[in-house]
Amino acid sequence: MEAPELKQAELGLTTDNLRIVHEKIAAVLGRQWVSDDPAVLTCYFRDFTARVGKWPNLVALPSTTEEVQAVVRIAHAHRVPVVPYSTGFNHGGTALPQWGGILVDLKRMDKVLAVDEEGMTITLQPYVQNARTYAMANCFSALQGLPLKPALPMTMGSASTLCNYVSRGFSAIAGKHGGHSENIVNMTWVLPDGEILKLGPGSFPNVGDVPVQFGPGPDISGMFISADGMMGICTEITIKLFPEQAHEKLYYLVPSRQGDEALEDCIEFFYRMSQANLMLFIYKMCHTDALVMLPDEMNPADFMHMIPEHAVMLILAGLTPEELEIKEQITLNLAQECGLTPADVEMLAQMIGINMHKDMFKKIYQAGKVMKPKGSFQWIAGYYRLDRVPELMKDYKDIVVRYWKPSDPRISYELAMSGTHMQGPLQFGRATTIEFDFWWDPGNPEDVKRAIVTLRQMGEMMMRHGAIFAKNLVGTYELLPRLGVYYDLVCRVKAMMDPLNIMHPDVMPVGGPGFG
Ligand SMILES: Cc1cc2nc3c(=O)[nH]c(=O)nc-3n(C[C@H](O)[C@H](O)[C@H](O)COP(=O)(O)OP(=O)(O)OC[C@H]3O[C@@H](n4cnc5c(N)ncnc54)[C@H](O)[C@@H]3O)c2cc1C
């Protein structure tokens, strides 16, 4: 769409232009749904990550795709940057505006638009949160009357399902159902010039929500995944649902060996379980998962001996108790061969006061918070070959000791409040997600410095080893220009779709603002 001719004063981040833009948005949304009140703006420049943003100039709250389109068209005509915001729980600080502009907060778009039992899909707006996606899907059933469920990440029940899927989320059930972006059926996007684009099979006439992943011809959906809003705003998504089996059991398996050898045993177990295709959910935990949840009056050092650095959380599922029992037999044999022993989860749960029930991951989705970490929780994660994880871990340990561990000699590597996770191994266990967690105190300047330096080092380390970044994260986006032709092409496509660079101009280093 051609931008109408405007005078210079009606372009960019000038006071006069922003006043005009404010009035135009108020005329479309209603005055109560756009604000330049500092008390409102100040809510959007910080999050729990080590990144800091700038205040937006305006916050707009559209309630439909057409209203999003109208806001984007106004922004486009007046050359004001736009930053979309769903629930703000990303780990890269990517929903923080860096140049000001209009922050498009999507919290009024909170509708479950459809559940298709036969097609086994659910269609959501951006502010449908994981807890509600799960609860809604569960009201419907398919196959032999089994309730439906979505594949959800191990994050807060209050995080946006749509945004997790378009930002290439992943979960510990990926081995069973694939990564989240593989389970997208249809998407509706408002492009930087305000055009509306349908992606997926529904972009073809009369197709609707057929549960396949691609549209006709060369499929262009990939350009929109993990783009963090720089290609437009996703206003609707249709995702696949899966049948939930009636019988589930949770196991907590502990290696008998320690340290690096324990990790090797967990990897071997991951590998063999993936090939046997037995588990619903598999997760290599770390000691800090439990240590950060201890009540404040308890000293983590006193509990280290009870909590292994590496352990495996596993959920098996079956249609009948007999099916579950057979799977359990095979799994426990495999665990024994790999040197892992089932621990009493109830006892451990009571000892350290955390919820380790088999439904814990469903309950997480229903609760507001995933955990009670000490300070802020920041991760950097990627996909990597399972057999090469031990090499990566050596460098990670070195970084923790050199950059993350405080100089206090009483703080060991194990007590440095950092740990690794692996989830949902893919392709028969050939690849896995690998996640490095850091718990830090955003109110402590020393912690902030350590967090930023460590995350940069971690990004470099992952690139050196060939671990592909799962998402745009603190410590990763600065490295993307090194991808050469791949990165150049991303920039060229972005420049073609958004020549004014108004749509989230700062999300990746794609050339700075072209507005105003
Ligand atoms: C404790 C914790 C644990 C987590 N564990 C996991 C995990 O195991 N697996 C996993 O996958 N994730 C995990 N996450 C990440 C988190 O759940 C996802 O980032 C979230 O689901 C995506 O929504 P969001 O609220 O982060 O999006 P936001 O922060 O609102 O946005 C993320 C990015 O997308 C852009 N954006 C926002 N809305 C839209 C839109 N509608 N269209 C286009 N662009 C948009 C924003 O500008 C920003 O760049 C975890 C997060 C936390 C805090």
Side-chain angles (χ1 to χ4, degrees):
M1 196 187 73
E2 285 298 307
E5 282 292 314
L6 294 173
K7 294 188 229 101
Q8 190 58 37
E10 294 169 349
L11 299 172
L13 293 171
T14 63
T15 313
D16 285 350
N17 189 39
L18 288 166
R19 198 173 303 122
I20 299 167
V21 167
H22 191 156
E23 287 307 313
K24 285 192 176 176
I25 296 177
V28 180
L29 304 187
R31 191 155 294 282
Q32 68 275 38
W33 300 122
V34 55
S35 177
D36 61 359
D37 180 347
V40 173
L41 304 182
T42 187
C43 302
Y44 294 93
F45 87 111
R46 289 300 298 263
D47 60 12
F48 62 87
T49 67
R51 209 173 183 215
V52 184
K54 292 207 169 53
W55 287 19
N57 300 95
L58 296 171
V59 173
L61 290 98
S63 66
T64 61
T65 298
E66 290 68 31
E67 286 188 359
V68 172
Q69 178 183 44
V71 172
V72 171
R73 282 193 163 149
I74 294 166
H76 183 256
H78 288 267
R79 299 195 184 181
V80 175
V82 170
V83 175
Y85 182 101
S86 283
T87 46
F89 292 128
N90 73 85
H91 279 266
T94 58
L96 304 171
Q98 299 297 327
W99 298 96
I102 305 166
L103 190 129
V104 178
D105 185 336
L106 298 159
K107 67 163 64 72
R108 290 175 70 215
M109 300 186 69
D110 60 355
K111 292 181 192 57
V112 175
L113 297 171
V115 180
D116 180 342
E117 277 182 310
E118 181 53 30
M120 292 171 58
T121 61
I122 189 166
T123 303
L124 311 165
Q125 288 187 326
Y127 200 74
V128 179
Q129 298 159 304
N130 291 327
R132 204 146 71 84
T133 310
Y134 180 83
M136 273 304 282
N138 238 229
C139 298
F140 295 83
S141 57
L143 306 173
Q144 299 145 11
L146 299 175
L148 289 169
K149 60 158 199 196
L152 288 178
M154 287 196 292
T155 181
M156 278 91 71
S158 49
S160 158
T161 306
L162 174 149
C163 205
N164 182 264
Y165 272 63
V166 299
S167 62
R168 204 188 285 126
F170 56 85
S171 60
I173 57 170
K176 203 76 186 165
H177 302 305
H180 297 169
S181 53
E182 293 172 80
N183 293 315
I184 296 176
V185 176
N186 284 317
M187 293 185 280
T188 303
W189 283 79
V190 175
L191 300 181
D193 64 358
E195 290 294 324
I196 293 175
L197 172 71
K198 300 265 181 198
L199 288 167
S203 54
F204 208 69
N206 307 319
V207 172
D209 293 337
V210 170
V212 293
Q213 201 196 336
F214 38 80
D219 186 33
I220 53 174
S221 319
M223 292 299 306
F224 294 80
I225 302 300
S226 203
D228 284 332
M230 73 173 181
M231 299 298 190
I233 302 182
C234 184
T235 56
E236 278 180 32
I237 196 167
T238 302
I239 60 171
K240 293 180 197 170
L241 296 174
F242 303 96
E244 186 166 75
Q245 301 185 49
H247 303 273
E248 287 183 7
K249 191 165 173 187
L250 178 129
Y251 305 81
Y252 178 63
L253 301 164
V254 181
S256 47
R257 301 198 293 172
Q258 306 285 318
D260 296 346
E261 290 180 329
L263 177 67
E264 279 167 26
D265 294 342
C266 291
I267 289 172
E268 178 64 18
F269 182 63
F270 255 54
Y271 195 67
R272 295 182 64 180
M273 282 298 287
S274 306
Q275 286 169 76
N277 191 22
L278 283 176
M279 73 284 177
L280 170 67
F281 170 108
I282 191 163
Y283 182 45
K284 204 255 350 130
M285 304 174 73
C286 64
H287 57 304
T288 42
D289 284 335
L291 295 183
V292 293
M293 284 190 264
L294 290 173
D296 286 339
E297 62 278 12
M298 293 184 179
N299 180 356
D302 299 335
F303 290 83
M304 278 300 301
H305 63 285
M306 295 183 198
I307 303 160
E309 183 184 351
H310 304 291
V312 174
M313 181 86 85
L314 179 84
I315 297 179
L316 297 177
L319 285 172
T320 60
E322 293 74 29
E323 184 187 335
L324 186 59
E325 210 174 300
I326 295 167
K327 285 183 175 168
E328 179 178 67
Q329 275 298 318
I330 305 172
T331 301
L332 294 181
N333 285 343
L334 280 179
Q336 196 182 21
E337 285 167 26
C338 298
L340 271 61
T341 318
D344 183 339
V345 273
E346 297 300 332
M347 197 185 76
L348 190 76
Q350 277 174 20
M351 225 161 42
I352 55 176
I354 62 167
N355 168 12
M356 288 184 79
H357 186 255
K358 77 171 169 56
D359 284 343
M360 64 184 277
F361 295 103
K362 294 175 198 165
K363 300 300 172 202
I364 285 171
Y365 305 140
Q366 285 159 29
K369 281 194 176 160
V370 71
M371 52 180 67
K372 185 182 89 60
K374 292 194 187 313
S376 219
F377 166 53
Q378 174 90 54
W379 55 241
I380 182 161
Y383 294 90
Y384 197 53
R385 276 188 42 170
L386 189 58
D387 59 336
R388 283 169 40 190
V389 168
E391 292 166 31
L392 199 65
M393 288 296 291
K394 283 197 191 99
D395 270 14
Y396 156 72
K397 191 169 176 175
D398 188 46
I399 289 172
V400 169
V401 172
R402 282 171 66 176
Y403 299 99
W404 180 248
K405 196 176 88 59
S407 51
D408 183 342
R410 288 167 302 177
I411 308 284
S412 61
Y413 158 75
E414 286 78 12
L415 284 173
M417 285 304 155
S418 172
T420 53
H421 291 145
M422 297 187 315
Q423 295 187 43
L426 306 163
Q427 296 295 71
F428 302 99
R430 264 59 180 177
T432 182
T433 60
I434 176 109
E435 174 184 323
F436 303 96
D437 293 352
F438 299 91
W439 282 273
W440 57 291
D441 175 2
N444 176 345
E446 283 309 310
D447 260 25
V448 176
K449 269 189 262 170
R450 286 192 305 130
I452 291 172
V453 172
T454 306
L455 290 164
R456 291 223 165 110
Q457 291 292 331
M458 289 298 299
E460 289 280 356
M461 178 201 86
M462 288 172 69
M463 199 145 188
R464 224 172 26 249
H465 281 270
I468 183 167
F469 305 135
K471 301 181 178 188
N472 295 323
L473 299 159
V474 175
T476 68
Y477 16 57
E478 300 86 348
L479 303 173
L480 298 177
R482 293 194 205 162
L483 299 181
V485 178
Y486 186 100
Y487 178 75
D488 290 347
L489 192 60
V490 172
C491 294
R492 274 155 58 197
V493 173
K494 162 75 174 161
M496 193 192 69
M497 285 178 59
D498 184 13
L500 301 175
N501 197 14
I502 62 144
M503 187 55 75
H504 214 338
D506 39 68
V507 69
M508 279 166 73
V510 286
F515 48 84

